[in-house]
Amino acid sequence: MAKACENNILFMSVSGDIQPHYTSIAGFVAKMHEQIEPLFTQEPRTKGVKS
C-alpha cells in the first residue's frame, strides 16, 4: 500500500497524495485488525452480474 501511494494515481487520490511509511500502515492494520479483517474475508459483490 505504501508503494501504491507513491506510484498509483488512484491510491494517490485516496491518500490525499500523502505517502505513508509502511510502518504506519502496519501499525494501523495491527490496531484495527478486527474491523479490517471482514473487508478481506467477504465475497466481493458484483452488481448486475449473473452467474
Side-chain angles (χ1 to χ4, degrees):
M1 287 180 112
K3 193 58 99 177
C5 288
E6 295 176 15
N7 302 319
N8 184 303
I9 191 71
L10 298 175
F11 277 82
M12 289 177 191
S13 176
V14 170
S15 72
D17 203 20
I18 296 171
Q19 293 82 36
H21 194 264
Y22 74 92
T23 56
S24 299
I25 295 170
F28 175 78
V29 171
K31 186 167 50 169
M32 303 295 288
H33 67 91
E34 290 181 12
Q35 291 81 8
I36 294 171
E37 184 178 0
L39 299 174
F40 294 98
T41 57
Q42 294 173 358
E43 286 189 36
R45 290 190 231 168
T46 52
K47 188 175 183 177
V49 176
K50 295 180 182 180
S51 312

